[in-house]
Amino acid sequence: MKYLVRDKMLAIGDDYWIEDEDGRHAFLVDGKALRFRDTLELKDPDGLILITLREKLFTLRDAMTLERDDRRLAVIRRKRLSLLRNHFRVTMAEGTELDVSGRILDREFKVEYDGELLALVSRQWYRVRETYAVDVVREDADAALLVAVAVCVIRMAEKEREDALLD
């Protein structure tokens, strides 16, 4: 199933819908303004919070935490010992890891578990500017988690790019 995300809506404090490939509202991203740290909530169409995305504070390297039902679901960090510049590791609460690699800022990357493709993120399916799709390849995969991972790694890569420009 493909989910359509519009990039220009990713500002904190802004809410936006992620649609499925049939144009139906699938997830609402609720940006929480006036918070000390970057926080987003991924909600279902009825407003139920599925995953909370939070910037981790006071870490040596940037990280974001995904929470479900007020419990840590995963932590996302840039993979430091990698030849690929655009490589992130998602460490799940139970200890398994997902790999995210590709051209993050170009919105052309994949999410894998143990070498198996779970999701492919790409702009190639859409001609609309500043739009990309998260194609959840496995039917039994947690679509909300994979959409949240895509949103997080893009935010982290963009923040890193902005910080580098300010230095």
Side-chain angles (χ1 to χ4, degrees):
M1 171 74 70
K2 288 183 183 138
Y3 298 93
L4 178 66
V5 184
R6 288 178 180 84
D7 262 345
K8 62 182 175 180
M9 301 294 192
L10 292 178
I12 289 297
D14 289 345
D15 298 345
Y16 62 94
W17 283 101
I18 295 174
E19 299 171 347
D20 67 16
E21 58 193 325
D22 297 322
R24 294 183 303 248
H25 289 169
F27 304 108
L28 174 66
V29 178
D30 186 359
K32 296 298 177 185
L34 303 174
R35 297 264 175 117
F36 183 59
R37 59 184 175 175
D38 198 354
T39 303
L40 300 170
E41 292 175 343
L42 188 67
K43 298 179 178 180
D44 72 6
D46 296 323
L48 176 69
I49 299 171
L50 301 174
I51 298 179
T52 302
L53 301 73
R54 294 185 203 278
E55 177 183 29
K56 285 192 78 158
L57 295 178
F58 311 115
T59 59
L60 293 176
R61 57 186 203 195
D62 290 337
M64 287 194 80
T65 301
L66 303 180
E67 299 171 2
R68 180 176 279 152
D69 300 325
D70 294 323
R71 293 194 326 245
R72 186 172 56 98
L73 178 62
V75 176
I76 303 173
R77 288 187 174 89
R78 176 173 294 286
K79 191 171 181 180
R80 292 294 179 195
L81 300 175
S82 172
L83 297 175
L84 300 173
R85 177 163 155 58
N86 290 302
H87 199 165
F88 288 81
R89 175 178 292 139
V90 181
T91 305
M92 303 299 295
E94 74 274 0
T96 60
E97 292 182 346
L98 306 180
D99 269 339
V100 180
S101 62
R103 297 185 328 268
I104 308 295
L105 293 173
D106 292 335
R107 307 324 187 242
E108 297 292 336
F109 59 93
K110 59 187 174 180
V111 181
E112 296 177 305
Y113 169 69
D114 203 22
E116 181 180 355
L117 183 65
L118 298 178
L120 189 60
V121 176
S122 180
R123 281 192 167 145
Q124 73 181 0
W125 296 301
Y126 295 97
R127 299 285 180 232
V128 180
R129 189 173 175 184
E130 298 189 18
T131 300
Y132 65 92
V134 178
D135 185 8
V136 178
V137 176
R138 287 191 45 162
E139 287 186 26
D140 62 340
D142 184 341
L145 171 65
L146 294 171
V147 167
V149 166
V151 169
C152 280
V153 298
I154 290 168
R155 288 182 81 81
M156 292 172 73
E158 286 180 343
K159 184 175 186 246
E160 197 171 85
R161 178 180 61 187
E162 289 170 8
D163 291 347
L165 291 174
L166 294 175
D167 288 341

